Amino acid sequence: MTTYKAINLIKRPEPGPVTADIFDVVEKELPKAGSGEILIKQTQMSLDPAMFGWMSPDTESYIPPVELGSVMRSSGVGKVIESNHPDFNEGDRVMGMMGWQEYALSNGQGINKVQADVPDETVLSVFALPGLTATQGLFNVGKPKNGETLVVTGAAGSVGSIVGQLAKAEGLKVIGVVGSDEKANWIVNELGFDGAINYKTSDLRDQLIKLTPEGIDLYFENTGGPIQNLVVERMNAHGRVVVCGMIADYDKEVPSPGPSWIPVIKKRLTIQGFTMPDHFEEIPSLLSKLTPYVMSGKIKYRSHILEGLESAIEGLNLFFTGENKGKLIVKL
Ligand SMILES: NC(=O)c1ccc[n+]([C@@H]2O[C@H](COP(=O)([O-])OP(=O)(O)OC[C@H]3O[C@@H](n4cnc5c(N)ncnc54)[C@H](OP(=O)(O)O)[C@@H]3O)[C@@H](O)[C@H]2O)c1
Protein backbone atom coordinates (compact mmCIF):
# COMPACT_ATOMS: atom_id res chain seq x y z
CA MET A 1 0.00 0.00 0.00
CA THR A 2 1.37 3.45 -0.96
CA THR A 3 0.75 6.10 1.63
CA TYR A 4 1.20 9.85 1.89
CA LYS A 5 1.11 12.45 4.67
CA ALA A 6 -1.51 15.09 5.34
CA ILE A 7 -2.07 17.54 8.19
CA ASN A 8 -5.54 18.03 9.65
CA LEU A 9 -6.68 20.97 11.74
CA ILE A 10 -8.09 19.51 14.95
CA LYS A 11 -8.41 22.57 17.26
CA ARG A 12 -8.96 26.30 16.86
CA PRO A 13 -5.83 28.35 17.66
CA GLU A 14 -5.64 30.42 20.86
CA PRO A 15 -4.38 34.01 20.69
CA GLY A 16 -0.55 34.09 20.46
CA PRO A 17 1.82 31.83 18.55
CA VAL A 18 0.44 28.77 16.79
CA THR A 19 1.09 25.53 18.70
CA ALA A 20 1.58 22.08 17.14
CA ASP A 21 -1.26 20.51 19.17
CA ILE A 22 -3.91 22.15 16.97
CA PHE A 23 -2.79 19.93 14.09
CA ASP A 24 -2.67 16.18 13.53
CA VAL A 25 -0.20 14.68 11.06
CA VAL A 26 -1.83 11.66 9.47
CA GLU A 27 -0.74 8.92 7.09
CA LYS A 28 -3.29 8.10 4.37
CA GLU A 29 -3.60 5.54 1.62
CA LEU A 30 -2.91 7.01 -1.82
CA PRO A 31 -6.27 7.10 -3.64
CA LYS A 32 -6.98 6.43 -7.33
CA ALA A 33 -8.54 9.13 -9.47
CA GLY A 34 -12.22 8.29 -9.99
CA SER A 35 -14.38 9.37 -12.90
CA GLY A 36 -13.99 13.14 -13.52
CA GLU A 37 -11.13 13.35 -11.02
CA ILE A 38 -7.41 14.09 -11.08
CA LEU A 39 -4.71 13.03 -8.65
CA ILE A 40 -2.07 15.70 -8.07
CA LYS A 41 1.37 15.31 -6.51
CA GLN A 42 1.89 18.61 -4.78
CA THR A 43 5.44 19.96 -5.12
CA GLN A 44 5.29 23.29 -3.27
CA MET A 45 2.62 24.76 -1.04
CA SER A 46 2.04 28.35 -0.05
CA LEU A 47 1.77 29.59 3.54
CA ASP A 48 -0.33 32.73 3.88
CA PRO A 49 -1.38 35.00 6.75
CA ALA A 50 -4.99 34.40 5.63
CA MET A 51 -4.65 30.95 7.23
CA PHE A 52 -5.11 32.52 10.67
CA GLY A 53 -8.58 33.62 9.58
CA TRP A 54 -9.36 30.24 8.02
CA MET A 55 -8.42 28.44 11.26
CA SER A 56 -10.55 30.73 13.45
CA PRO A 57 -14.18 29.79 14.21
CA ASP A 58 -15.44 33.00 12.53
CA THR A 59 -18.35 32.10 10.24
CA GLU A 60 -18.98 35.74 9.30
CA SER A 61 -15.82 36.07 7.22
CA TYR A 62 -15.44 35.98 3.42
CA ILE A 63 -14.78 32.22 3.44
CA PRO A 64 -16.01 29.49 5.86
CA PRO A 65 -13.55 28.27 8.52
CA VAL A 66 -11.60 25.05 7.92
CA GLU A 67 -13.70 22.26 9.44
CA LEU A 68 -12.08 20.60 12.44
CA GLY A 69 -10.75 17.17 11.51
CA SER A 70 -10.23 18.09 7.86
CA VAL A 71 -7.06 18.87 5.91
CA MET A 72 -5.71 22.38 6.54
CA ARG A 73 -6.56 24.69 3.63
CA SER A 74 -3.75 26.05 1.42
CA SER A 75 -2.87 26.69 -2.20
CA GLY A 76 -0.01 25.06 -4.01
CA VAL A 77 1.62 23.91 -7.21
CA GLY A 78 1.88 20.33 -8.37
CA LYS A 79 1.80 17.83 -11.19
CA VAL A 80 -1.16 15.73 -12.36
CA ILE A 81 -0.10 12.10 -12.00
CA GLU A 82 -3.43 10.50 -12.95
CA SER A 83 -6.35 12.04 -14.83
CA ASN A 84 -9.89 10.95 -15.60
CA HIS A 85 -10.88 14.56 -16.23
CA PRO A 86 -11.43 15.86 -19.77
CA ASP A 87 -9.58 19.16 -19.12
CA PHE A 88 -6.39 17.72 -17.58
CA ASN A 89 -3.71 15.34 -18.80
CA GLU A 90 -1.17 13.33 -16.88
CA GLY A 91 1.95 15.51 -16.55
CA ASP A 92 0.08 18.83 -16.50
CA ARG A 93 1.53 21.37 -14.10
CA VAL A 94 -1.29 22.85 -12.02
CA MET A 95 -1.95 25.30 -9.21
CA GLY A 96 -4.89 25.79 -6.86
CA MET A 97 -6.29 24.90 -3.45
CA MET A 98 -4.67 21.57 -2.53
CA GLY A 99 -4.33 21.70 1.25
CA TRP A 100 -1.57 20.57 3.61
CA GLN A 101 -0.97 17.19 1.98
CA GLU A 102 1.52 15.56 -0.31
CA TYR A 103 -1.13 14.39 -2.80
CA ALA A 104 -4.51 15.90 -3.59
CA LEU A 105 -7.52 14.28 -5.24
CA SER A 106 -9.64 16.86 -7.05
CA ASN A 107 -12.62 17.21 -9.39
CA GLY A 108 -10.71 20.04 -11.04
CA GLN A 109 -12.71 22.84 -9.41
CA GLY A 110 -10.38 25.72 -8.51
CA ILE A 111 -7.41 23.97 -10.14
CA ASN A 112 -5.77 25.81 -13.05
CA LYS A 113 -3.02 24.78 -15.42
CA VAL A 114 0.24 26.68 -15.03
CA GLN A 115 1.05 27.98 -18.51
CA ALA A 116 4.12 30.11 -17.80
CA ASP A 117 7.50 28.40 -18.06
CA VAL A 118 8.75 29.70 -14.70
CA PRO A 119 9.91 27.94 -11.51
CA ASP A 120 7.35 26.88 -8.87
CA GLU A 121 8.70 29.64 -6.57
CA THR A 122 7.86 32.30 -9.15
CA VAL A 123 4.36 30.90 -9.60
CA LEU A 124 3.62 31.05 -5.87
CA SER A 125 5.55 34.25 -5.13
CA VAL A 126 4.37 36.36 -8.04
CA PHE A 127 1.60 34.93 -10.24
CA ALA A 128 -0.50 33.39 -7.45
CA LEU A 129 -2.04 35.22 -4.48
CA PRO A 130 0.71 37.85 -3.86
CA GLY A 131 0.78 39.29 -7.37
CA LEU A 132 -2.97 38.99 -7.90
CA THR A 133 -3.67 40.71 -4.58
CA ALA A 134 -1.18 43.48 -5.28
CA THR A 135 -2.63 44.06 -8.76
CA GLN A 136 -6.27 44.04 -7.65
CA GLY A 137 -5.62 46.19 -4.59
CA LEU A 138 -3.35 48.74 -6.18
CA PHE A 139 -4.99 49.26 -9.58
CA ASN A 140 -8.65 48.41 -9.08
CA VAL A 141 -9.09 49.66 -5.51
CA GLY A 142 -6.30 52.23 -5.08
CA LYS A 143 -6.42 53.77 -8.57
CA PRO A 144 -2.86 55.15 -8.49
CA LYS A 145 -1.85 58.25 -10.47
CA ASN A 146 1.57 59.25 -11.70
CA GLY A 147 3.27 61.64 -9.27
CA GLU A 148 1.24 60.58 -6.21
CA THR A 149 2.81 59.38 -2.95
CA LEU A 150 2.03 55.84 -1.77
CA VAL A 151 2.78 54.35 1.64
CA VAL A 152 2.65 50.55 1.83
CA THR A 153 2.97 48.52 5.04
CA GLY A 154 4.39 45.00 5.15
CA ALA A 155 6.51 46.43 2.35
CA ALA A 156 9.11 43.66 2.22
CA GLY A 157 6.41 40.98 2.30
CA SER A 158 5.09 39.08 -0.66
CA VAL A 159 2.13 41.39 -1.34
CA GLY A 160 3.70 44.67 -0.18
CA SER A 161 6.91 44.28 -2.18
CA ILE A 162 4.93 43.81 -5.40
CA VAL A 163 2.57 46.71 -4.60
CA GLY A 164 5.56 49.01 -4.17
CA GLN A 165 7.29 47.91 -7.36
CA LEU A 166 4.10 48.22 -9.44
CA ALA A 167 3.52 51.69 -8.03
CA LYS A 168 7.11 52.72 -8.82
CA ALA A 169 6.63 51.47 -12.38
CA GLU A 170 3.52 53.71 -12.58
CA GLY A 171 5.52 56.79 -11.55
CA LEU A 172 4.49 57.10 -7.91
CA LYS A 173 6.73 58.00 -5.02
CA VAL A 174 6.79 54.89 -2.80
CA ILE A 175 7.56 54.64 0.90
CA GLY A 176 7.58 51.20 2.54
CA VAL A 177 7.03 50.34 6.19
CA VAL A 178 8.92 47.27 7.44
CA GLY A 179 10.05 45.62 10.68
CA SER A 180 13.84 45.48 10.27
CA ASP A 181 16.76 47.43 8.85
CA GLU A 182 17.65 44.49 6.61
CA LYS A 183 14.17 44.68 5.01
CA ALA A 184 14.43 48.49 4.79
CA ASN A 185 17.74 48.16 2.88
CA TRP A 186 16.30 45.49 0.59
CA ILE A 187 13.26 47.49 -0.50
CA VAL A 188 15.25 50.69 -1.08
CA ASN A 189 18.47 49.32 -2.56
CA GLU A 190 17.19 46.26 -4.42
CA LEU A 191 13.56 47.10 -5.23
CA GLY A 192 13.99 50.84 -5.80
CA PHE A 193 11.54 52.18 -3.18
CA ASP A 194 12.06 55.90 -2.46
CA GLY A 195 12.27 55.39 1.28
CA ALA A 196 11.66 52.96 4.13
CA ILE A 197 10.57 53.22 7.75
CA ASN A 198 11.33 50.53 10.30
CA TYR A 199 8.20 50.60 12.47
CA LYS A 200 10.18 49.13 15.38
CA THR A 201 12.22 52.34 15.73
CA SER A 202 11.12 55.45 17.62
CA ASP A 203 10.22 58.82 16.03
CA LEU A 204 7.92 57.24 13.44
CA ARG A 205 6.03 60.52 13.03
CA ASP A 206 9.22 62.49 12.23
CA GLN A 207 10.41 59.86 9.76
CA LEU A 208 7.04 59.82 8.02
CA ILE A 209 6.91 63.61 7.73
CA LYS A 210 10.45 63.72 6.35
CA LEU A 211 9.78 61.02 3.75
CA THR A 212 6.36 62.33 2.63
CA PRO A 213 6.83 66.11 2.34
CA GLU A 214 3.82 66.37 0.01
CA GLY A 215 1.55 64.22 2.16
CA ILE A 216 0.16 60.80 1.27
CA ASP A 217 -2.34 60.09 -1.51
CA LEU A 218 -2.54 56.33 -1.34
CA TYR A 219 -2.14 54.04 1.67
CA PHE A 220 -1.91 50.28 1.02
CA GLU A 221 -2.49 48.71 4.42
CA ASN A 222 -1.18 45.18 4.98
CA THR A 223 -0.46 45.20 8.70
CA GLY A 224 -2.07 47.77 11.00
CA GLY A 225 0.13 48.62 13.97
CA PRO A 226 1.46 51.94 15.28
CA ILE A 227 2.10 53.55 11.89
CA GLN A 228 -1.58 53.39 10.91
CA ASN A 229 -2.82 56.43 12.85
CA LEU A 230 0.16 58.49 11.70
CA VAL A 231 -0.42 57.67 8.03
CA VAL A 232 -4.14 58.46 8.19
CA GLU A 233 -3.36 61.83 9.81
CA ARG A 234 -1.02 62.64 6.88
CA MET A 235 -3.40 61.71 4.07
CA ASN A 236 -4.08 64.34 1.40
CA ALA A 237 -7.55 65.43 0.33
CA HIS A 238 -9.34 62.69 -1.65
CA GLY A 239 -6.74 60.14 -0.56
CA ARG A 240 -7.50 56.43 -0.81
CA VAL A 241 -6.84 53.75 1.79
CA VAL A 242 -6.71 50.18 0.48
CA VAL A 243 -7.29 47.78 3.37
CA CYS A 244 -5.71 44.48 2.40
CA GLY A 245 -4.51 42.99 5.71
CA MET A 246 -4.17 43.65 9.44
CA ILE A 247 -1.61 41.08 10.53
CA ALA A 248 -0.74 43.05 13.68
CA ASP A 249 -4.14 42.01 15.02
CA TYR A 250 -4.47 38.43 13.74
CA ASP A 251 -3.08 36.83 16.92
CA LYS A 252 -4.81 39.24 19.33
CA GLU A 253 -7.96 38.57 21.30
CA VAL A 254 -9.01 42.21 20.95
CA PRO A 255 -8.01 44.16 17.82
CA SER A 256 -6.40 47.59 18.24
CA PRO A 257 -8.70 50.62 17.99
CA GLY A 258 -8.62 52.14 14.52
CA PRO A 259 -7.72 55.74 13.59
CA SER A 260 -10.08 58.65 14.22
CA TRP A 261 -12.72 59.22 11.55
CA ILE A 262 -12.29 63.00 11.74
CA PRO A 263 -9.53 63.07 9.04
CA VAL A 264 -11.79 60.83 6.94
CA ILE A 265 -14.32 63.69 6.77
CA LYS A 266 -11.86 66.57 6.59
CA LYS A 267 -9.82 64.93 3.82
CA ARG A 268 -12.78 63.21 2.10
CA LEU A 269 -10.93 59.89 2.23
CA THR A 270 -12.08 56.66 0.63
CA ILE A 271 -11.34 53.56 2.71
CA GLN A 272 -12.00 50.24 1.02
CA GLY A 273 -11.32 46.68 2.11
CA PHE A 274 -11.12 43.84 -0.39
CA THR A 275 -10.52 40.09 -0.40
CA MET A 276 -9.31 38.08 -3.35
CA PRO A 277 -11.97 35.33 -3.36
CA ASP A 278 -14.39 38.03 -4.65
CA HIS A 279 -12.12 38.45 -7.66
CA PHE A 280 -11.19 34.92 -8.67
CA GLU A 281 -13.28 35.33 -11.83
CA GLU A 282 -11.03 38.25 -12.79
CA ILE A 283 -7.77 36.26 -12.56
CA PRO A 284 -7.18 36.26 -16.35
CA SER A 285 -7.49 40.05 -16.55
CA LEU A 286 -5.37 40.55 -13.40
CA LEU A 287 -2.69 38.30 -14.87
CA SER A 288 -2.73 40.18 -18.16
CA LYS A 289 -2.16 43.41 -16.22
CA LEU A 290 0.60 41.95 -14.01
CA THR A 291 2.53 39.80 -16.50
CA PRO A 292 4.07 42.60 -18.62
CA TYR A 293 5.60 44.17 -15.48
CA VAL A 294 7.10 40.79 -14.52
CA MET A 295 8.33 39.99 -18.03
CA SER A 296 10.00 43.39 -18.37
CA GLY A 297 11.98 42.73 -15.18
CA LYS A 298 10.17 45.32 -13.06
CA ILE A 299 9.15 42.85 -10.34
CA LYS A 300 11.81 41.28 -8.12
CA TYR A 301 10.88 38.91 -5.35
CA ARG A 302 12.39 36.62 -2.78
CA SER A 303 11.01 33.31 -1.54
CA HIS A 304 11.56 31.82 1.89
CA ILE A 305 11.56 28.06 1.45
CA LEU A 306 10.86 25.58 4.25
CA GLU A 307 11.47 21.87 3.71
CA GLY A 308 8.89 19.11 4.29
CA LEU A 309 5.16 19.07 5.06
CA GLU A 310 5.46 19.36 8.86
CA SER A 311 7.57 22.52 8.60
CA ALA A 312 4.31 24.32 7.75
CA ILE A 313 3.21 24.18 11.40
CA GLU A 314 6.10 26.15 12.90
CA GLY A 315 6.41 28.10 9.68
CA LEU A 316 3.16 29.94 10.37
CA ASN A 317 4.75 31.73 13.31
CA LEU A 318 7.39 33.32 11.06
CA PHE A 319 4.68 35.69 9.84
CA PHE A 320 4.35 37.18 13.32
CA THR A 321 8.05 37.39 14.12
CA GLY A 322 8.74 38.83 10.66
CA GLU A 323 11.47 36.22 10.18
CA ASN A 324 10.03 35.31 6.79
CA LYS A 325 12.08 37.03 4.14
CA GLY A 326 9.70 37.00 1.21
CA LYS A 327 7.03 34.53 0.17
CA LEU A 328 6.76 31.61 2.60
CA ILE A 329 6.71 28.33 0.71
CA VAL A 330 6.88 24.72 1.88
CA LYS A 331 8.75 22.43 -0.48
CA LEU A 332 7.40 18.87 -0.43
N1 LIG B 1 -7.20 40.91 1.19
C1 LIG B 1 -6.70 39.83 0.59
O1 LIG B 1 -7.33 39.18 -0.24
C2 LIG B 1 -5.31 39.41 0.96
C3 LIG B 1 -4.59 38.51 0.14
C4 LIG B 1 -3.26 38.19 0.51
C5 LIG B 1 -2.72 38.75 1.67
N2 LIG B 1 -3.48 39.59 2.43
C6 LIG B 1 -2.93 40.23 3.63
O2 LIG B 1 -1.81 40.99 3.23
C7 LIG B 1 -0.89 41.05 4.31
C8 LIG B 1 0.49 40.62 3.81
O3 LIG B 1 0.44 39.26 3.40
P1 LIG B 1 1.73 38.55 2.79
O4 LIG B 1 1.32 37.22 2.33
O5 LIG B 1 2.38 39.47 1.85
O6 LIG B 1 2.63 38.35 4.09
P2 LIG B 1 4.10 38.88 4.33
O7 LIG B 1 4.02 40.37 4.29
O8 LIG B 1 5.02 38.19 3.39
O9 LIG B 1 4.41 38.40 5.80
C9 LIG B 1 3.81 39.00 6.88
C10 LIG B 1 4.69 40.14 7.41
O10 LIG B 1 3.90 40.96 8.27
C11 LIG B 1 4.78 41.70 9.09
N3 LIG B 1 4.23 41.79 10.44
C12 LIG B 1 4.01 40.77 11.32
N4 LIG B 1 3.51 41.26 12.48
C13 LIG B 1 3.43 42.61 12.33
C14 LIG B 1 3.02 43.68 13.18
N5 LIG B 1 2.58 43.46 14.43
N6 LIG B 1 3.06 44.94 12.71
C15 LIG B 1 3.50 45.19 11.45
N7 LIG B 1 3.92 44.22 10.58
C16 LIG B 1 3.89 42.95 11.03
C17 LIG B 1 6.12 40.93 9.10
O11 LIG B 1 7.08 41.74 8.40
P3 LIG B 1 8.01 42.80 9.18
O12 LIG B 1 9.30 42.12 9.42
O13 LIG B 1 8.08 43.92 8.20
O14 LIG B 1 7.29 43.15 10.46
C18 LIG B 1 5.84 39.68 8.29
O15 LIG B 1 6.95 39.27 7.56
C19 LIG B 1 -1.43 40.14 5.42
O16 LIG B 1 -2.09 40.92 6.37
C20 LIG B 1 -2.43 39.26 4.67
O17 LIG B 1 -3.45 38.78 5.51
C21 LIG B 1 -4.75 39.92 2.10
Side-chain angles (χ1 to χ4, degrees):
M1 171 176 98
T2 315
T3 62
Y4 70 101
K5 271 193 276 186
I7 301 182
N8 294 335
L9 180 72
I10 54 167
K11 276 191 215 164
R12 303 286 169 206
E14 299 287 333
V18 167
T19 50
D21 64 315
I22 67 169
F23 296 108
D24 189 20
V25 183
V26 293
E27 194 88 18
K28 290 180 167 179
E29 188 178 344
L30 193 65
K32 289 242 147 247
S35 166
E37 289 183 331
I38 50 175
L39 183 63
I40 306 163
K41 183 177 186 335
Q42 192 169 203
T43 47
Q44 302 213 1
M45 60 188 209
S46 170
L47 295 187
D48 292 283
M51 289 170 165
F52 299 103
W54 302 342
M55 291 190 293
S56 84
D58 186 1
T59 51
E60 301 287 302
S61 191
Y62 62 95
I63 188 169
V66 177
E67 257 179 64
L68 292 184
S70 67
V71 174
M72 178 60 200
R73 183 184 294 148
S74 63
S75 63
V77 179
K79 199 170 236 183
V80 175
I81 56 163
E82 201 189 338
S83 177
N84 290 318
H85 192 295
D87 299 341
F88 297 93
N89 294 315
E90 207 180 296
D92 280 349
R93 194 161 163 239
V94 290
M95 60 185 282
M97 301 310 281
M98 298 183 197
W100 283 12
Q101 51 188 349
E102 293 164 330
Y103 290 83
L105 191 62
S106 166
N107 62 7
Q109 220 185 348
I111 301 289
N112 294 296
K113 289 189 201 178
V114 177
Q115 310 287 3
D117 186 17
V118 292
D120 285 356
E121 289 85 22
T122 316
V123 174
L124 290 181
S125 306
V126 181
F127 292 112
L129 195 63
L132 297 172
T133 306
T135 306
Q136 170 62 23
L138 180 68
F139 292 111
N140 298 342
V141 185
K143 304 193 168 56
K145 293 181 202 76
N146 185 309
E148 288 187 328
T149 297
L150 168 111
V151 171
V152 54
T153 52
S158 36
V159 174
S161 60
I162 299 179
V163 168
Q165 292 176 89
L166 289 173
K168 276 304 299 173
E170 288 295 299
L172 279 80
K173 175 173 181 173
V174 175
I175 307 301
V177 182
V178 293
S180 74
D181 292 343
E182 188 276 335
K183 290 183 180 180
N185 285 334
W186 183 64
I187 62 170
V188 172
N189 299 324
E190 292 289 323
L191 306 189
F193 283 41
D194 298 286
I197 298 175
N198 178 350
Y199 68 84
K200 292 179 182 161
T201 53
S202 54
D203 71 341
L204 291 183
R205 186 189 301 271
D206 291 348
Q207 291 186 62
L208 192 63
I209 291 171
K210 203 165 144 214
L211 288 170
T212 59
E214 290 165 354
I216 299 163
D217 304 292
L218 194 45
Y219 177 23
F220 197 105
E221 175 63 293
N222 279 317
T223 66
I227 198 86
Q228 190 182 62
N229 283 309
L230 303 174
V231 174
V232 172
E233 280 170 15
R234 254 195 103 58
M235 296 293 297
N236 291 329
H238 304 291
R240 285 90 64 211
V241 181
V242 181
V243 188
C244 176
M246 289 289 292
I247 196 166
D249 285 340
Y250 293 168
D251 63 344
K252 301 221 169 67
E253 203 147 12
V254 182
S256 324
S260 161
W261 282 17
I262 290 180
V264 179
I265 306 166
K266 286 188 181 166
K267 306 285 178 56
R268 289 86 81 207
L269 303 181
T270 303
I271 304 176
Q272 189 180 336
F274 76 102
T275 60
M276 282 314 292
D278 285 350
H279 303 285
F280 283 166
E281 301 288 306
E282 294 140 56
I283 287 179
S285 77
L286 292 171
L287 283 176
S288 66
K289 178 90 185 166
L290 172 66
T291 304
Y293 293 98
V294 182
M295 293 311 169
S296 60
K298 296 205 166 85
I299 306 295
K300 295 183 189 164
Y301 70 93
R302 52 186 189 184
S303 314
H304 187 129
I305 310 280
L306 305 173
E307 297 280 340
L309 185 71
E310 284 106 319
S311 67
I313 298 173
E314 261 304 308
L316 284 178
N317 288 319
L318 301 179
F319 285 125
F320 292 121
T321 59
E323 282 167 274
N324 69 309
K325 288 192 184 149
K327 176 76 200 114
L328 255 190
I329 292 173
V330 174
K331 200 168 176 182
L332 298 175

